[in-house]
Amino acid sequence: MLEGKFEEASLLKKIVEAMKDCVSSCNFNCTENGISVQAVDNSRVLLISLLIEKDTFEEYRCDRNITLGVGLGSLSKIIGNGANSDYLTISADDDADKLNIIFEDKVKDKISEYNLKLLDIDADLLDVGPMDTDATITLPSADFAKICKDMKVLSESLQIIVTKDSALFQSVGDIGTGNIVIRPKTDIDHPEESVTISLDKPIDLSFGSKYLSDIIKATSLSQKVTIKLTDQSPGVFEYKLPSGYLRFYLAPKFDE
Amino acid sequence: SKKQSSLAQFFGKT
């Protein structure tokens, strides 16, 4: 038996919105410690790794490990029926073929209950493991989203060049070029506005703009995004949850 | 132009 109660439906809404355009369906792996997902997009360029730790929930129990195959478009439709501020409880029996979803209005005496049919998903997982990191950038997630959107008007690729004291986002396209430079900044009054760059080795990597457009759909999950870059390796883009994370691993583009 | 790589080039299967 799995049962997890979110203090606010908005958190699961945001998680599903951040994932559903990248992967249509995925397995939710439920254990006593929480719920995790690994899913890869159809082109096998972008990997999503989600961890919702037990502490994220108002109440949580999972007596036995269970895997729930979920169509994210369908889940999104049902979750969309609840108000952001509702309590949201998901539950499933051990051999369930459906996921039970209950919204409780905190003011009105109103309870809405839905069942989502589960899917049998045969996922082949990738062994991501711990990765070395040459450069780490942490910046406001809204700023990163704007950089990605602004640069996408120029090119299908976004080049990220990190040196000791700056990160350069560069786009070179048919209509012209664009450069955005950000530098470390400590904002004591508004720590969420701070920018940090730590560097072991300079970085010059290019990523597909269309995949970055998918990644920045997670912007509402966290005020900050952490970007971990390693030479000749996938970039890791991490949005922290109250307890857990939503991470994207994006394979880079290379010169032909 | 640049060529998109695949995650399978970096990560093995579990």
Side-chain angles (χ1 to χ4, degrees):
Chain A
M1 173 86 191
L2 162 81
E3 193 169 276
K5 182 177 183 180
F6 291 93
E7 165 71 25
E8 295 210 326
S10 60
L11 179 61
L12 189 60
K13 276 190 188 192
K14 288 175 188 171
I15 291 171
V16 174
E17 289 308 301
M19 295 168 67
K20 75 176 175 60
D21 295 330
C22 171
V23 288
S24 57
S25 61
C26 61
N27 283 323
F28 282 67
N29 301 303
C30 311
T31 72
E32 60 177 354
N33 299 319
I35 298 176
S36 64
V37 172
Q38 193 206 86
V40 182
D41 84 309
N42 278 336
S43 58
R44 305 190 69 74
V45 169
L46 183 60
L47 180 146
I48 294 178
S49 175
L50 168 70
L51 176 64
I52 310 174
E53 285 176 337
K54 184 183 174 181
D55 289 347
T56 304
F57 297 89
E58 179 94 350
E59 292 163 26
Y60 184 82
R61 64 175 272 212
C62 182
D63 311 325
R64 257 206 287 167
N65 293 359
I66 50 173
T67 299
L68 306 171
V70 173
L72 292 175
S74 310
L75 178 61
S76 165
K77 283 179 190 165
I78 290 178
I79 296 181
N81 289 350
N84 284 339
S85 59
D86 286 353
Y87 289 116
L88 167 58
T89 303
I90 53 171
S91 62
D93 292 329
D94 285 342
D95 293 317
D97 58 0
K98 59 186 190 294
L99 178 69
N100 191 246
I101 300 163
I102 297 174
F103 300 100
E104 291 173 75
D105 192 301
K106 285 175 185 150
V107 181
K108 297 173 193 159
D109 191 358
K110 179 187 166 198
I111 295 175
S112 317
E113 183 172 355
Y114 298 89
N115 278 317
L116 172 69
K117 282 186 200 164
L118 295 174
L119 310 172
D120 195 7
I121 299 167
D122 187 16
D124 64 292
L125 300 176
L126 293 173
D127 183 17
V128 172
M131 289 170 63
D132 293 334
T133 302
D134 291 338
T136 304
I137 310 166
T138 300
L139 74 159
S141 57
D143 290 357
F144 178 61
K146 171 119 175 78
I147 290 169
C148 292
K149 283 179 196 159
D150 291 351
M151 292 287 104
K152 190 169 184 265
V153 304
L154 291 161
S155 168
E156 291 172 0
S157 300
L158 174 65
Q159 190 179 3
I160 306 180
I161 299 166
V162 192
T163 54
K164 194 163 70 70
D165 55 0
S166 73
L168 167 65
F169 299 85
Q170 181 166 273
S171 231
V172 179
D174 292 340
I175 62 163
T177 63
N179 287 299
I180 298 174
V181 180
I182 58 167
R183 295 185 202 284
K185 182 188 119 171
T186 307
D187 191 326
I188 294 165
D189 295 328
H190 307 96
E192 70 281 1
E193 292 294 319
S194 294
V195 174
T196 61
I197 298 173
S198 69
L199 186 81
D200 289 331
K201 227 167 109 180
I203 285 292
D204 184 345
L205 282 170
S206 290
F207 297 102
S209 304
K210 70 170 180 151
Y211 298 103
L212 292 165
S213 297
D214 280 334
I215 291 172
I216 60 175
K217 286 173 185 157
T219 301
S220 65
L221 272 175
S222 175
Q223 289 190 312
K224 295 199 153 199
V225 59
T226 298
I227 305 169
K228 295 179 182 176
L229 302 172
T230 304
D231 191 30
Q232 306 276 314
S233 298
V236 184
F237 303 80
E238 180 176 280
Y239 296 83
K240 286 214 161 50
L241 303 184
S243 184
Y245 55 76
L246 181 63
R247 267 182 211 151
F248 297 87
Y249 294 79
L250 176 56
K253 294 175 95 168
F254 293 123
D255 287 325
E256 293 206 67
Chain B
S1 73
K2 290 183 184 289
K3 191 169 183 278
Q4 177 64 59
S5 64
S6 159
L7 290 167
Q9 292 170 241
F10 306 98
F11 303 131
K13 290 188 177 178
T14 54

